[in-house]
Amino acid sequence: LAVTMAVPIVLIYSRIQYIFPGKGLFDIMEICFGGVIGKGVGILYTWFALHLAAIVLREFGECSIITSLRNTPMVIPMVICVILSILLVKAGIEVIGRWSEYFLPIILLLVLFTILFLIPEMNINNIRPTLAQGIEPVIKGAFSTFSFPFAEVVIFTMVFSSLKYKKSASKVYIYGLLIAGGIVLITSLVNILVLGVNQASEIFFPSYTTAARISIWEGWENLEALVAFEFLIGGFIKISICLLSASIGISKIIGYKDYRTLVTPIGLILINLAIILYDNLMGLFQWSFRIWPYYAFPFQVIFPVLIWLLAEIKIKRAGRKQYIDRGF
């Protein structure tokens, strides 16, 4: 359901980029809303990207100390992650893309490997009875999953200023959405089949706990480290994209041509923001699942729909003007 809800939204994202080729979201907002309002909305989107990066970075730090670095201050893995993200973002979007392309098959293979060895631990009765509490919890869960993570694709509109082919944006978004949707669906189902609904919903990192059940033979245990690796790699890429978006946004707002000189100070702000925003992991997850879907809705749906409608109106007016200018 969440993927179905996300499909028309990502098609709107791709349509906006098709109408304005070679333009990022910050440029498009100034074209559609005008200079002052466009910069104001750009400030909001810059904050959105920075806030999302802070959430993911805090999850990165919490996951690190819970899964492997229990005696290490949480700030240390967070600082290391941000330093690496700064280096990657300064290298540019193409390097981020190639780096992600290299690790994607590895992550998919690890997910497949984990699922195959968890089959003996699965219990089909854990998903019964179906719809025991009606359709309402399903709708709420679908809306939450739509917002986090699927509709966060809006972040890519800030950095995808140009693609190789004129009509490639929709394919990129749809294929990415389907791959991500498949991974989330399968991993969620596996967690419930192995742990049961109650335990899977109460644990902060259920996939890590699920993978801890893997036991191939003596000496081949504790393979939950593979899940931790997948989570950390994915989090690192997401932080880098959000950091790039925030850097581009601030450079557009202040009229600075090269965003790279802003990456380091924004990265330092990001570390502090990730530390001070939430008191603990429970507070972070309460915000992420209860408040974030409504908080992010204007950025993910309302503003993009307005931009799309204004863009279509501008196209029609431009077409009519050209029609009149030709003397018809």
PDB file of all heavy atoms in Angstrom, residues 63-64 66-70 106-107 110-111 113-114 205 207-214 220-233:
ATOM      1  N   CYS A  63      22.748   2.695  16.535  1.00  0.00           N
ATOM      2  CA  CYS A  63      22.942   1.330  16.030  1.00  0.00           C
ATOM      3  C   CYS A  63      24.366   0.856  16.275  1.00  0.00           C
ATOM      4  O   CYS A  63      24.597  -0.298  16.645  1.00  0.00           O
ATOM      5  CB  CYS A  63      22.612   1.279  14.543  1.00  0.00           C
ATOM      6  SG  CYS A  63      22.855  -0.359  13.777  1.00  0.00           S
ATOM      7  N   SER A  64      25.336   1.747  16.098  1.00  0.00           N
ATOM      8  CA  SER A  64      26.745   1.372  16.282  1.00  0.00           C
ATOM      9  C   SER A  64      27.029   0.930  17.710  1.00  0.00           C
ATOM     10  O   SER A  64      27.672  -0.096  17.944  1.00  0.00           O
ATOM     11  CB  SER A  64      27.653   2.546  15.906  1.00  0.00           C
ATOM     12  OG  SER A  64      27.498   2.904  14.557  1.00  0.00           O
ATOM     13  N   ILE A  66      24.828  -0.007  20.037  1.00  0.00           N
ATOM     14  CA  ILE A  66      23.995  -1.124  20.480  1.00  0.00           C
ATOM     15  C   ILE A  66      24.494  -2.442  19.908  1.00  0.00           C
ATOM     16  O   ILE A  66      24.526  -3.469  20.594  1.00  0.00           O
ATOM     17  CB  ILE A  66      22.523  -0.882  20.085  1.00  0.00           C
ATOM     18  CG1 ILE A  66      21.920   0.218  20.964  1.00  0.00           C
ATOM     19  CG2 ILE A  66      21.703  -2.161  20.221  1.00  0.00           C
ATOM     20  CD1 ILE A  66      20.515   0.597  20.582  1.00  0.00           C
ATOM     21  N   THR A  67      24.913  -2.422  18.658  1.00  0.00           N
ATOM     22  CA  THR A  67      25.281  -3.674  17.987  1.00  0.00           C
ATOM     23  C   THR A  67      26.728  -4.096  18.197  1.00  0.00           C
ATOM     24  O   THR A  67      27.018  -5.290  18.252  1.00  0.00           O
ATOM     25  CB  THR A  67      25.017  -3.554  16.477  1.00  0.00           C
ATOM     26  OG1 THR A  67      25.776  -2.454  15.948  1.00  0.00           O
ATOM     27  CG2 THR A  67      23.541  -3.329  16.197  1.00  0.00           C
ATOM     28  N   SER A  68      27.650  -3.141  18.305  1.00  0.00           N
ATOM     29  CA  SER A  68      29.055  -3.569  18.333  1.00  0.00           C
ATOM     30  C   SER A  68      29.962  -2.740  19.225  1.00  0.00           C
ATOM     31  O   SER A  68      30.930  -3.266  19.771  1.00  0.00           O
ATOM     32  CB  SER A  68      29.629  -3.562  16.904  1.00  0.00           C
ATOM     33  OG  SER A  68      29.472  -2.290  16.323  1.00  0.00           O
ATOM     34  N   LEU A  69      29.703  -1.451  19.398  1.00  0.00           N
ATOM     35  CA  LEU A  69      30.637  -0.574  20.112  1.00  0.00           C
ATOM     36  C   LEU A  69      30.036  -0.122  21.442  1.00  0.00           C
ATOM     37  O   LEU A  69      29.892   1.068  21.715  1.00  0.00           O
ATOM     38  CB  LEU A  69      30.978   0.635  19.244  1.00  0.00           C
ATOM     39  CG  LEU A  69      31.534   0.331  17.853  1.00  0.00           C
ATOM     40  CD1 LEU A  69      31.688   1.616  17.048  1.00  0.00           C
ATOM     41  CD2 LEU A  69      32.863  -0.402  17.951  1.00  0.00           C
ATOM     42  N   ARG A  70      29.695  -1.079  22.279  1.00  0.00           N
ATOM     43  CA  ARG A  70      28.926  -0.791  23.490  1.00  0.00           C
ATOM     44  C   ARG A  70      29.662   0.122  24.474  1.00  0.00           C
ATOM     45  O   ARG A  70      29.038   0.853  25.229  1.00  0.00           O
ATOM     46  CB  ARG A  70      28.530  -2.097  24.185  1.00  0.00           C
ATOM     47  CG  ARG A  70      27.490  -2.901  23.414  1.00  0.00           C
ATOM     48  CD  ARG A  70      27.105  -4.189  24.123  1.00  0.00           C
ATOM     49  NE  ARG A  70      26.025  -4.874  23.433  1.00  0.00           N
ATOM     50  CZ  ARG A  70      26.196  -5.695  22.411  1.00  0.00           C
ATOM     51  NH1 ARG A  70      27.416  -5.915  21.964  1.00  0.00           N
ATOM     52  NH2 ARG A  70      25.165  -6.272  21.823  1.00  0.00           N
ATOM     53  N   ILE A 106      26.117  -5.877  -3.255  1.00  0.00           N
ATOM     54  CA  ILE A 106      26.614  -6.534  -2.044  1.00  0.00           C
ATOM     55  C   ILE A 106      25.527  -6.570  -0.984  1.00  0.00           C
ATOM     56  O   ILE A 106      25.285  -7.611  -0.336  1.00  0.00           O
ATOM     57  CB  ILE A 106      27.863  -5.797  -1.514  1.00  0.00           C
ATOM     58  CG1 ILE A 106      28.996  -5.866  -2.543  1.00  0.00           C
ATOM     59  CG2 ILE A 106      28.313  -6.380  -0.177  1.00  0.00           C
ATOM     60  CD1 ILE A 106      30.222  -5.050  -2.167  1.00  0.00           C
ATOM     61  N   ILE A 107      24.830  -5.446  -0.809  1.00  0.00           N
ATOM     62  CA  ILE A 107      23.761  -5.384   0.189  1.00  0.00           C
ATOM     63  C   ILE A 107      22.623  -6.327  -0.172  1.00  0.00           C
ATOM     64  O   ILE A 107      22.080  -7.039   0.682  1.00  0.00           O
ATOM     65  CB  ILE A 107      23.253  -3.931   0.332  1.00  0.00           C
ATOM     66  CG1 ILE A 107      24.345  -3.061   0.968  1.00  0.00           C
ATOM     67  CG2 ILE A 107      21.979  -3.876   1.165  1.00  0.00           C
ATOM     68  CD1 ILE A 107      23.986  -1.602   1.074  1.00  0.00           C
ATOM     69  N   LEU A 110      23.607  -9.848   0.628  1.00  0.00           N
ATOM     70  CA  LEU A 110      23.589 -10.082   2.078  1.00  0.00           C
ATOM     71  C   LEU A 110      22.163 -10.251   2.584  1.00  0.00           C
ATOM     72  O   LEU A 110      21.900 -11.095   3.454  1.00  0.00           O
ATOM     73  CB  LEU A 110      24.282  -8.930   2.803  1.00  0.00           C
ATOM     74  CG  LEU A 110      25.801  -8.832   2.626  1.00  0.00           C
ATOM     75  CD1 LEU A 110      26.345  -7.603   3.336  1.00  0.00           C
ATOM     76  CD2 LEU A 110      26.498 -10.093   3.142  1.00  0.00           C
ATOM     77  N   VAL A 111      21.236  -9.462   2.037  1.00  0.00           N
ATOM     78  CA  VAL A 111      19.827  -9.604   2.421  1.00  0.00           C
ATOM     79  C   VAL A 111      19.313 -10.983   2.027  1.00  0.00           C
ATOM     80  O   VAL A 111      18.657 -11.681   2.819  1.00  0.00           O
ATOM     81  CB  VAL A 111      18.973  -8.500   1.761  1.00  0.00           C
ATOM     82  CG1 VAL A 111      17.484  -8.792   1.955  1.00  0.00           C
ATOM     83  CG2 VAL A 111      19.310  -7.143   2.334  1.00  0.00           C
ATOM     84  N   PHE A 113      21.098 -13.704   1.463  1.00  0.00           N
ATOM     85  CA  PHE A 113      21.813 -14.688   2.289  1.00  0.00           C
ATOM     86  C   PHE A 113      21.154 -14.805   3.669  1.00  0.00           C
ATOM     87  O   PHE A 113      20.920 -15.904   4.181  1.00  0.00           O
ATOM     88  CB  PHE A 113      23.274 -14.245   2.425  1.00  0.00           C
ATOM     89  CG  PHE A 113      24.095 -15.082   3.362  1.00  0.00           C
ATOM     90  CD1 PHE A 113      24.683 -16.269   2.933  1.00  0.00           C
ATOM     91  CD2 PHE A 113      24.285 -14.686   4.679  1.00  0.00           C
ATOM     92  CE1 PHE A 113      25.444 -17.038   3.808  1.00  0.00           C
ATOM     93  CE2 PHE A 113      25.052 -15.438   5.557  1.00  0.00           C
ATOM     94  CZ  PHE A 113      25.623 -16.616   5.119  1.00  0.00           C
ATOM     95  N   THR A 114      20.840 -13.673   4.275  1.00  0.00           N
ATOM     96  CA  THR A 114      20.233 -13.670   5.603  1.00  0.00           C
ATOM     97  C   THR A 114      18.875 -14.339   5.590  1.00  0.00           C
ATOM     98  O   THR A 114      18.554 -15.166   6.472  1.00  0.00           O
ATOM     99  CB  THR A 114      20.094 -12.221   6.116  1.00  0.00           C
ATOM    100  OG1 THR A 114      21.367 -11.576   6.086  1.00  0.00           O
ATOM    101  CG2 THR A 114      19.551 -12.197   7.531  1.00  0.00           C
ATOM    102  N   PHE A 205      15.786  -2.357  16.720  1.00  0.00           N
ATOM    103  CA  PHE A 205      16.409  -2.850  15.485  1.00  0.00           C
ATOM    104  C   PHE A 205      16.048  -4.332  15.316  1.00  0.00           C
ATOM    105  O   PHE A 205      16.854  -5.223  15.589  1.00  0.00           O
ATOM    106  CB  PHE A 205      17.928  -2.666  15.547  1.00  0.00           C
ATOM    107  CG  PHE A 205      18.352  -1.239  15.726  1.00  0.00           C
ATOM    108  CD1 PHE A 205      18.802  -0.779  16.954  1.00  0.00           C
ATOM    109  CD2 PHE A 205      18.288  -0.346  14.669  1.00  0.00           C
ATOM    110  CE1 PHE A 205      19.179   0.540  17.123  1.00  0.00           C
ATOM    111  CE2 PHE A 205      18.670   0.976  14.830  1.00  0.00           C
ATOM    112  CZ  PHE A 205      19.109   1.424  16.057  1.00  0.00           C
ATOM    113  N   SER A 207      15.608  -6.284  12.716  1.00  0.00           N
ATOM    114  CA  SER A 207      16.354  -7.085  11.741  1.00  0.00           C
ATOM    115  C   SER A 207      17.653  -7.609  12.337  1.00  0.00           C
ATOM    116  O   SER A 207      18.079  -8.738  12.041  1.00  0.00           O
ATOM    117  CB  SER A 207      16.660  -6.252  10.491  1.00  0.00           C
ATOM    118  OG  SER A 207      15.481  -5.888   9.819  1.00  0.00           O
ATOM    119  N   TYR A 208      18.278  -6.812  13.185  1.00  0.00           N
ATOM    120  CA  TYR A 208      19.510  -7.251  13.857  1.00  0.00           C
ATOM    121  C   TYR A 208      19.223  -8.414  14.797  1.00  0.00           C
ATOM    122  O   TYR A 208      19.952  -9.404  14.823  1.00  0.00           O
ATOM    123  CB  TYR A 208      20.109  -6.073  14.621  1.00  0.00           C
ATOM    124  CG  TYR A 208      21.405  -6.399  15.332  1.00  0.00           C
ATOM    125  CD1 TYR A 208      22.607  -6.409  14.640  1.00  0.00           C
ATOM    126  CD2 TYR A 208      21.421  -6.693  16.693  1.00  0.00           C
ATOM    127  CE1 TYR A 208      23.802  -6.699  15.283  1.00  0.00           C
ATOM    128  CE2 TYR A 208      22.604  -6.990  17.345  1.00  0.00           C
ATOM    129  CZ  TYR A 208      23.790  -6.992  16.637  1.00  0.00           C
ATOM    130  OH  TYR A 208      24.972  -7.285  17.273  1.00  0.00           O
ATOM    131  N   THR A 209      18.121  -8.314  15.571  1.00  0.00           N
ATOM    132  CA  THR A 209      17.735  -9.398  16.483  1.00  0.00           C
ATOM    133  C   THR A 209      17.339 -10.643  15.711  1.00  0.00           C
ATOM    134  O   THR A 209      17.653 -11.767  16.120  1.00  0.00           O
ATOM    135  CB  THR A 209      16.576  -8.932  17.382  1.00  0.00           C
ATOM    136  OG1 THR A 209      16.941  -7.724  18.048  1.00  0.00           O
ATOM    137  CG2 THR A 209      16.231  -9.992  18.412  1.00  0.00           C
ATOM    138  N   THR A 210      16.650 -10.449  14.578  1.00  0.00           N
ATOM    139  CA  THR A 210      16.256 -11.580  13.749  1.00  0.00           C
ATOM    140  C   THR A 210      17.477 -12.321  13.220  1.00  0.00           C
ATOM    141  O   THR A 210      17.548 -13.556  13.269  1.00  0.00           O
ATOM    142  CB  THR A 210      15.393 -11.106  12.572  1.00  0.00           C
ATOM    143  OG1 THR A 210      14.230 -10.442  13.075  1.00  0.00           O
ATOM    144  CG2 THR A 210      14.966 -12.283  11.702  1.00  0.00           C
ATOM    145  N   ALA A 211      18.461 -11.579  12.720  1.00  0.00           N
ATOM    146  CA  ALA A 211      19.668 -12.204  12.172  1.00  0.00           C
ATOM    147  C   ALA A 211      20.466 -12.941  13.240  1.00  0.00           C
ATOM    148  O   ALA A 211      21.229 -13.861  12.921  1.00  0.00           O
ATOM    149  CB  ALA A 211      20.541 -11.147  11.500  1.00  0.00           C
ATOM    150  N   ALA A 212      20.291 -12.548  14.512  1.00  0.00           N
ATOM    151  CA  ALA A 212      21.006 -13.230  15.597  1.00  0.00           C
ATOM    152  C   ALA A 212      20.544 -14.683  15.752  1.00  0.00           C
ATOM    153  O   ALA A 212      21.234 -15.490  16.391  1.00  0.00           O
ATOM    154  CB  ALA A 212      20.819 -12.479  16.909  1.00  0.00           C
ATOM    155  N   ARG A 213      19.379 -15.012  15.167  1.00  0.00           N
ATOM    156  CA  ARG A 213      18.861 -16.387  15.243  1.00  0.00           C
ATOM    157  C   ARG A 213      19.558 -17.319  14.251  1.00  0.00           C
ATOM    158  O   ARG A 213      19.354 -18.532  14.311  1.00  0.00           O
ATOM    159  CB  ARG A 213      17.356 -16.391  14.949  1.00  0.00           C
ATOM    160  CG  ARG A 213      16.524 -15.508  15.880  1.00  0.00           C
ATOM    161  CD  ARG A 213      16.362 -16.138  17.244  1.00  0.00           C
ATOM    162  NE  ARG A 213      15.455 -15.387  18.085  1.00  0.00           N
ATOM    163  CZ  ARG A 213      14.145 -15.608  18.180  1.00  0.00           C
ATOM    164  NH1 ARG A 213      13.573 -16.575  17.461  1.00  0.00           N
ATOM    165  NH2 ARG A 213      13.400 -14.875  18.974  1.00  0.00           N
ATOM    166  N   ILE A 214      20.338 -16.775  13.329  1.00  0.00           N
ATOM    167  CA  ILE A 214      20.997 -17.613  12.328  1.00  0.00           C
ATOM    168  C   ILE A 214      22.066 -18.478  12.982  1.00  0.00           C
ATOM    169  O   ILE A 214      22.906 -17.990  13.738  1.00  0.00           O
ATOM    170  CB  ILE A 214      21.637 -16.763  11.208  1.00  0.00           C
ATOM    171  CG1 ILE A 214      20.564 -15.967  10.464  1.00  0.00           C
ATOM    172  CG2 ILE A 214      22.415 -17.643  10.233  1.00  0.00           C
ATOM    173  CD1 ILE A 214      21.130 -15.028   9.417  1.00  0.00           C
ATOM    174  N   TRP A 220      29.886 -20.877  12.951  1.00  0.00           N
ATOM    175  CA  TRP A 220      29.303 -19.908  12.005  1.00  0.00           C
ATOM    176  C   TRP A 220      28.049 -19.306  12.637  1.00  0.00           C
ATOM    177  O   TRP A 220      26.933 -19.578  12.220  1.00  0.00           O
ATOM    178  CB  TRP A 220      28.975 -20.582  10.667  1.00  0.00           C
ATOM    179  CG  TRP A 220      30.182 -20.776   9.817  1.00  0.00           C
ATOM    180  CD1 TRP A 220      31.131 -21.732   9.951  1.00  0.00           C
ATOM    181  CD2 TRP A 220      30.576 -19.982   8.697  1.00  0.00           C
ATOM    182  NE1 TRP A 220      32.101 -21.598   8.993  1.00  0.00           N
ATOM    183  CE2 TRP A 220      31.778 -20.521   8.199  1.00  0.00           C
ATOM    184  CE3 TRP A 220      30.042 -18.862   8.059  1.00  0.00           C
ATOM    185  CZ2 TRP A 220      32.450 -19.988   7.115  1.00  0.00           C
ATOM    186  CZ3 TRP A 220      30.698 -18.338   6.974  1.00  0.00           C
ATOM    187  CH2 TRP A 220      31.892 -18.901   6.514  1.00  0.00           C
ATOM    188  N   GLU A 221      28.254 -18.524  13.662  1.00  0.00           N
ATOM    189  CA  GLU A 221      27.163 -17.858  14.339  1.00  0.00           C
ATOM    190  C   GLU A 221      27.484 -16.361  14.446  1.00  0.00           C
ATOM    191  O   GLU A 221      28.482 -15.892  13.902  1.00  0.00           O
ATOM    192  CB  GLU A 221      26.929 -18.471  15.717  1.00  0.00           C
ATOM    193  CG  GLU A 221      26.516 -19.955  15.645  1.00  0.00           C
ATOM    194  CD  GLU A 221      26.290 -20.555  17.009  1.00  0.00           C
ATOM    195  OE1 GLU A 221      26.621 -19.897  18.007  1.00  0.00           O
ATOM    196  OE2 GLU A 221      25.772 -21.690  17.071  1.00  0.00           O
ATOM    197  N   ASN A 222      26.603 -15.628  15.148  1.00  0.00           N
ATOM    198  CA  ASN A 222      26.776 -14.176  15.301  1.00  0.00           C
ATOM    199  C   ASN A 222      26.844 -13.458  13.947  1.00  0.00           C
ATOM    200  O   ASN A 222      27.631 -12.525  13.766  1.00  0.00           O
ATOM    201  CB  ASN A 222      28.035 -13.857  16.123  1.00  0.00           C
ATOM    202  CG  ASN A 222      27.987 -14.453  17.516  1.00  0.00           C
ATOM    203  OD1 ASN A 222      26.929 -14.502  18.135  1.00  0.00           O
ATOM    204  ND2 ASN A 222      29.120 -14.926  17.995  1.00  0.00           N
ATOM    205  N   LEU A 223      26.004 -13.916  13.012  1.00  0.00           N
ATOM    206  CA  LEU A 223      25.996 -13.312  11.680  1.00  0.00           C
ATOM    207  C   LEU A 223      25.147 -12.044  11.620  1.00  0.00           C
ATOM    208  O   LEU A 223      24.950 -11.479  10.540  1.00  0.00           O
ATOM    209  CB  LEU A 223      25.491 -14.330  10.651  1.00  0.00           C
ATOM    210  CG  LEU A 223      26.374 -15.580  10.486  1.00  0.00           C
ATOM    211  CD1 LEU A 223      25.770 -16.517   9.456  1.00  0.00           C
ATOM    212  CD2 LEU A 223      27.785 -15.189  10.074  1.00  0.00           C
ATOM    213  N   GLU A 224      24.644 -11.604  12.782  1.00  0.00           N
ATOM    214  CA  GLU A 224      23.897 -10.352  12.799  1.00  0.00           C
ATOM    215  C   GLU A 224      24.775  -9.170  12.428  1.00  0.00           C
ATOM    216  O   GLU A 224      24.275  -8.084  12.104  1.00  0.00           O
ATOM    217  CB  GLU A 224      23.265 -10.125  14.178  1.00  0.00           C
ATOM    218  CG  GLU A 224      24.242 -10.021  15.325  1.00  0.00           C
ATOM    219  CD  GLU A 224      24.545 -11.354  15.983  1.00  0.00           C
ATOM    220  OE1 GLU A 224      24.379 -12.393  15.319  1.00  0.00           O
ATOM    221  OE2 GLU A 224      24.934 -11.346  17.157  1.00  0.00           O
ATOM    222  N   ALA A 225      26.098  -9.369  12.469  1.00  0.00           N
ATOM    223  CA  ALA A 225      27.010  -8.296  12.052  1.00  0.00           C
ATOM    224  C   ALA A 225      26.786  -7.924  10.582  1.00  0.00           C
ATOM    225  O   ALA A 225      27.029  -6.780  10.183  1.00  0.00           O
ATOM    226  CB  ALA A 225      28.457  -8.719  12.273  1.00  0.00           C
ATOM    227  N   LEU A 226      26.317  -8.879   9.786  1.00  0.00           N
ATOM    228  CA  LEU A 226      26.021  -8.594   8.381  1.00  0.00           C
ATOM    229  C   LEU A 226      24.889  -7.577   8.262  1.00  0.00           C
ATOM    230  O   LEU A 226      24.931  -6.673   7.425  1.00  0.00           O
ATOM    231  CB  LEU A 226      25.644  -9.888   7.650  1.00  0.00           C
ATOM    232  CG  LEU A 226      26.733 -10.960   7.558  1.00  0.00           C
ATOM    233  CD1 LEU A 226      26.191 -12.204   6.856  1.00  0.00           C
ATOM    234  CD2 LEU A 226      27.946 -10.426   6.807  1.00  0.00           C
ATOM    235  N   VAL A 227      23.861  -7.735   9.110  1.00  0.00           N
ATOM    236  CA  VAL A 227      22.737  -6.794   9.095  1.00  0.00           C
ATOM    237  C   VAL A 227      23.203  -5.416   9.552  1.00  0.00           C
ATOM    238  O   VAL A 227      22.801  -4.393   8.998  1.00  0.00           O
ATOM    239  CB  VAL A 227      21.588  -7.306   9.983  1.00  0.00           C
ATOM    240  CG1 VAL A 227      20.487  -6.260  10.107  1.00  0.00           C
ATOM    241  CG2 VAL A 227      21.026  -8.598   9.411  1.00  0.00           C
ATOM    242  N   ALA A 228      24.058  -5.385  10.588  1.00  0.00           N
ATOM    243  CA  ALA A 228      24.602  -4.109  11.049  1.00  0.00           C
ATOM    244  C   ALA A 228      25.390  -3.426   9.934  1.00  0.00           C
ATOM    245  O   ALA A 228      25.298  -2.204   9.744  1.00  0.00           O
ATOM    246  CB  ALA A 228      25.494  -4.332  12.266  1.00  0.00           C
ATOM    247  N   PHE A 229      26.136  -4.204   9.153  1.00  0.00           N
ATOM    248  CA  PHE A 229      26.899  -3.660   8.028  1.00  0.00           C
ATOM    249  C   PHE A 229      25.955  -3.067   6.987  1.00  0.00           C
ATOM    250  O   PHE A 229      26.191  -1.956   6.484  1.00  0.00           O
ATOM    251  CB  PHE A 229      27.746  -4.770   7.404  1.00  0.00           C
ATOM    252  CG  PHE A 229      28.430  -4.370   6.133  1.00  0.00           C
ATOM    253  CD1 PHE A 229      29.587  -3.610   6.157  1.00  0.00           C
ATOM    254  CD2 PHE A 229      27.917  -4.758   4.896  1.00  0.00           C
ATOM    255  CE1 PHE A 229      30.217  -3.227   4.976  1.00  0.00           C
ATOM    256  CE2 PHE A 229      28.537  -4.396   3.712  1.00  0.00           C
ATOM    257  CZ  PHE A 229      29.696  -3.628   3.760  1.00  0.00           C
ATOM    258  N   GLU A 230      24.873  -3.772   6.655  1.00  0.00           N
ATOM    259  CA  GLU A 230      23.902  -3.274   5.688  1.00  0.00           C
ATOM    260  C   GLU A 230      23.307  -1.950   6.161  1.00  0.00           C
ATOM    261  O   GLU A 230      23.182  -0.982   5.392  1.00  0.00           O
ATOM    262  CB  GLU A 230      22.778  -4.290   5.485  1.00  0.00           C
ATOM    263  CG  GLU A 230      23.244  -5.620   4.899  1.00  0.00           C
ATOM    264  CD  GLU A 230      22.173  -6.689   5.038  1.00  0.00           C
ATOM    265  OE1 GLU A 230      20.984  -6.316   5.225  1.00  0.00           O
ATOM    266  OE2 GLU A 230      22.493  -7.884   4.984  1.00  0.00           O
ATOM    267  N   PHE A 231      22.923  -1.904   7.436  1.00  0.00           N
ATOM    268  CA  PHE A 231      22.295  -0.706   7.990  1.00  0.00           C
ATOM    269  C   PHE A 231      23.260   0.480   7.960  1.00  0.00           C
ATOM    270  O   PHE A 231      22.889   1.593   7.587  1.00  0.00           O
ATOM    271  CB  PHE A 231      21.841  -0.978   9.425  1.00  0.00           C
ATOM    272  CG  PHE A 231      21.140   0.183  10.070  1.00  0.00           C
ATOM    273  CD1 PHE A 231      19.784   0.399   9.864  1.00  0.00           C
ATOM    274  CD2 PHE A 231      21.832   1.067  10.879  1.00  0.00           C
ATOM    275  CE1 PHE A 231      19.134   1.475  10.453  1.00  0.00           C
ATOM    276  CE2 PHE A 231      21.194   2.151  11.468  1.00  0.00           C
ATOM    277  CZ  PHE A 231      19.842   2.350  11.262  1.00  0.00           C
ATOM    278  N   LEU A 232      24.506   0.244   8.340  1.00  0.00           N
ATOM    279  CA  LEU A 232      25.477   1.332   8.407  1.00  0.00           C
ATOM    280  C   LEU A 232      25.832   1.856   7.022  1.00  0.00           C
ATOM    281  O   LEU A 232      25.973   3.064   6.818  1.00  0.00           O
ATOM    282  CB  LEU A 232      26.731   0.865   9.150  1.00  0.00           C
ATOM    283  CG  LEU A 232      26.520   0.502  10.633  1.00  0.00           C
ATOM    284  CD1 LEU A 232      27.811  -0.012  11.244  1.00  0.00           C
ATOM    285  CD2 LEU A 232      25.992   1.687  11.415  1.00  0.00           C
ATOM    286  N   ILE A 233      25.961   0.948   6.045  1.00  0.00           N
ATOM    287  CA  ILE A 233      26.256   1.391   4.675  1.00  0.00           C
ATOM    288  C   ILE A 233      25.095   2.203   4.121  1.00  0.00           C
ATOM    289  O   ILE A 233      25.267   3.286   3.538  1.00  0.00           O
ATOM    290  CB  ILE A 233      26.550   0.176   3.770  1.00  0.00           C
ATOM    291  CG1 ILE A 233      27.888  -0.460   4.142  1.00  0.00           C
ATOM    292  CG2 ILE A 233      26.556   0.598   2.299  1.00  0.00           C
ATOM    293  CD1 ILE A 233      29.090   0.425   3.893  1.00  0.00           C
TER     294      ILE A 233
END
